[in-house]
Amino acid sequence: MRIKDARVIVTSPGRNFVTLKIVTEEGVYGIGDATLNGREKSVVAYLEDHVCPLLIGRDARQIEDIWQLLYRGAYWRRGPVTMRAIAAVDVALWDIKAKSADMPLYQLLGGRSREKVMVYGHANGGDIAETVDAVGQYIDMGYKAIRAQTGIPGVKDAYGVGRGKLFYEPADATLASVTGWDTRKALNTVPKLFEMLRATYGFDHHLLHDGHHRYTPQEAANLGKMLEPYQLFWLEDVTPAENQEAFKLIRQHTVTPLAVGEIFNTIWDCKDLIQNQLIDYIRATIVGAGGVTHLRRIADLASLYQIRTGCHGATDLSPVTMGTALHFDTWVPNFGIQEYMRHSPETDDVFPHDYSFDKGFLICGETPGHGVDINEELAAKYPYDQRQLPIARLEDGTMWNW
Ligand code: CS2
Ligand code: MG
């Protein structure tokens, strides 16, 4: 089963997506997501100039060897651009293999470990009262788990406060827009939000919060401690994780569960965090961390330490990543939760898919492959639209982590 064609499709149905399509001589094709939010074209060039020519003529069934070829063969390892390109190839090849086997992807991975996949939605509000209302709307839709973010008085456009009810789109400007940050004010506000949420809705639902790399390890430990009475499902990205050791300090001071990894590319980014049991959930996902082939290795390492998965699933991860992640989640023994930020109707039309939502769970379909396709004619109607993620600065102008 030789690869005849490999090409990149860029489309912007409400937001930008980069998709790789691989076609075999037999006419079976597979697609993979290669979207890198705000830096899309770097992956397009990496794929078109360096990866696609290497694929032509290879046996599409040799997923592992092609993965190793792209990882070792480049000499320059890791990084978001390389690993997204590898992920796109890997997912397209798994799609082809599953279609050829006439099986939904989860069957090839080892079959079902569960009936359905628990997801969390994003509740956002300009202030605490608005966020409390937004959480109520998710509860009414049947969600079991909800991430809650609120505006912070005196902070311009605090992280996660969005436009749109079921999703928000952070890449909102042609060139990065400037938002504000103030840790003192955040530490005054976030615990009050969760106090109000538990007082209003009780303790039956899972509540999550994203710190989006804003706190120092000491501040993060303080926040984790203050949130303990509200029994969070997780506190995410509470400090940057380039220095994995930083989590030791946080861990010594709080039992609030910790989640990290949406910007990780490989097992090496989380090796120490996992082996030292410094986190509870690993957020690496299909498109970010080298596809199914590599994410499976991360999940297996995590399982040795009772660390569970929590795949990143924001709107900048295309339906192709969501569909593939749901097959992965349906199989992976140490599943924790799946993020589910809904896509716009325009995006859903360009990427027809067979997964469905039912009362707080997503269910992957039974279509052979990963169950997501691309309507190329429709995709061509949405040309690339230059957008970047915002940045954050402190009151005195100091550049901070967004
Ligand atoms: C966020 C993301 O979903 C999350 O947890 O941290 O929305 C993140 O900001 C975006 O994926 C960046 O592209
Ligand atoms: Mg996050």
Side-chain angles (χ1 to χ4, degrees):
M1 183 170 258
R2 302 270 155 206
I3 296 174
K4 190 176 78 182
D5 189 28
R7 63 199 161 78
V8 179
I9 303 157
V10 179
T11 180
S12 191
R15 71 161 344 282
N16 292 314
F17 294 108
V18 177
T19 308
L20 176 71
K21 183 165 187 172
I22 298 182
V23 187
T24 63
E25 280 171 354
E26 288 75 8
V28 183
Y29 70 88
I31 59 171
D33 177 23
T35 311
L36 180 57
N37 203 6
R39 297 290 186 270
E40 297 86 1
K41 293 231 171 146
S42 56
V43 194
V44 175
Y46 193 101
L47 281 167
E48 285 182 344
D49 297 344
H50 309 294
V51 172
C52 293
L54 265 179
L55 296 176
I56 308 303
R58 282 181 200 280
D59 185 342
R61 294 169 299 188
Q62 290 181 7
I63 299 178
E64 186 65 52
D65 185 65
I66 291 176
W67 197 98
Q68 299 293 338
L69 167 79
L70 297 177
Y71 186 80
R72 293 169 197 258
Y75 185 63
W76 312 108
R77 296 182 184 202
R78 307 163 63 184
V81 178
T82 301
M83 296 310 291
R84 270 175 158 76
I86 295 179
V89 174
D90 187 76
V91 167
L93 294 180
W94 276 105
D95 194 22
I96 289 173
K97 197 182 270 292
K99 282 176 178 170
S100 318
D102 200 24
M103 284 179 190
L105 176 58
Y106 74 84
Q107 291 291 9
L108 281 191
L109 298 177
R112 269 187 193 283
S113 296
R114 56 197 52 79
E115 300 295 315
K116 48 192 180 175
V117 168
M118 182 169 74
V119 297
Y120 69 91
H122 285 214
N124 309 307
D127 57 24
I128 291 180
E130 262 183 47
T131 307
V132 171
D133 276 359
V135 168
Q137 286 164 20
Y138 277 91
I139 291 174
D140 291 345
M141 284 187 281
Y143 279 81
K144 315 287 174 229
I146 304 126
R147 182 185 101 157
Q149 306 292 139
T150 178
I152 296 165
V155 174
K156 181 182 175 278
D157 300 332
Y159 165 77
V161 180
R163 301 143 278 272
K165 284 228 175 314
L166 292 169
F167 56 87
Y168 76 97
E169 180 45 70
D172 61 351
T174 307
L175 293 176
S177 60
V178 183
T179 66
W181 183 249
D182 184 321
T183 300
R184 177 68 259 148
K185 291 184 172 125
L187 290 175
N188 280 349
T189 307
V190 175
K192 283 188 197 136
L193 167 66
F194 285 90
E195 184 186 2
M196 193 59 83
L197 286 171
R198 287 308 189 198
T200 311
Y201 303 115
F203 280 76
D204 275 357
H205 294 87
H206 298 301
L207 295 179
L208 299 79
H209 183 71
D210 193 345
H212 226 251
H213 323 273
R214 303 286 168 98
Y215 304 87
T216 66
Q218 184 278 339
E219 292 160 353
N222 189 15
L223 179 61
K225 238 174 151 168
M226 286 194 285
L227 290 174
E228 278 173 14
Y230 316 116
Q231 300 278 301
L232 265 59
F233 185 90
W234 81 34
L235 181 58
E236 173 186 340
D237 284 341
V238 77
T239 202
E242 286 102 321
N243 174 18
Q244 299 180 35
E245 288 258 325
F247 279 75
K248 281 193 182 153
L249 190 146
I250 306 171
R251 205 52 153 177
Q252 277 161 13
H253 294 285
T254 181
V255 293
T256 293
L258 301 172
V260 178
E262 69 182 36
I263 66 171
F264 289 173
N265 314 131
T266 69
I267 200 163
W268 305 101
D269 298 327
C270 44
K271 172 181 153 286
D272 297 344
L273 286 170
I274 291 174
Q275 289 183 336
N276 295 314
Q277 292 180 257
L278 299 178
I279 55 172
D280 301 279
Y281 296 93
I282 179 69
R283 301 251 307 126
T285 192
I286 305 284
V287 65
V292 174
T293 298
H294 195 66
L295 190 62
R296 194 157 69 160
R297 302 219 152 97
I298 296 177
D300 280 343
L301 177 66
S303 78
L304 302 184
Y305 302 92
Q306 300 192 47
I307 293 167
R308 292 185 287 162
T309 63
C311 286
H312 186 204
T315 33
D316 47 296
L317 287 70
S318 93
V320 179
T321 286
M322 181 57 74
T324 311
L326 290 172
H327 284 269
F328 180 84
D329 297 336
T330 297
W331 157 73
V332 70
N334 50 323
F335 171 74
I337 199 166
Q338 169 68 51
E339 181 179 16
Y340 178 42
M341 226 166 132
R342 288 166 193 245
H343 290 110
S344 65
E346 292 82 3
T347 298
D348 284 338
D349 286 347
V350 169
F351 294 98
H353 51 260
D354 70 351
Y355 55 81
S356 54
F357 176 81
D358 184 33
K359 298 188 200 79
F361 295 88
L362 276 173
I363 299 146
C364 70
E366 293 292 320
T367 315
H370 55 44
V372 187
D373 208 343
I374 183 164
N375 178 336
E376 289 190 64
E377 237 173 81
L378 197 54
K381 296 196 175 135
Y382 298 102
Y384 181 69
D385 177 22
Q386 169 80 50
R387 298 270 160 180
Q388 291 193 357
L389 285 166
I391 57 165
R393 289 190 186 275
L394 306 183
E395 197 179 3
D396 67 0
T398 306
M399 184 74 189
W400 202 244
N401 309 316
W402 178 70

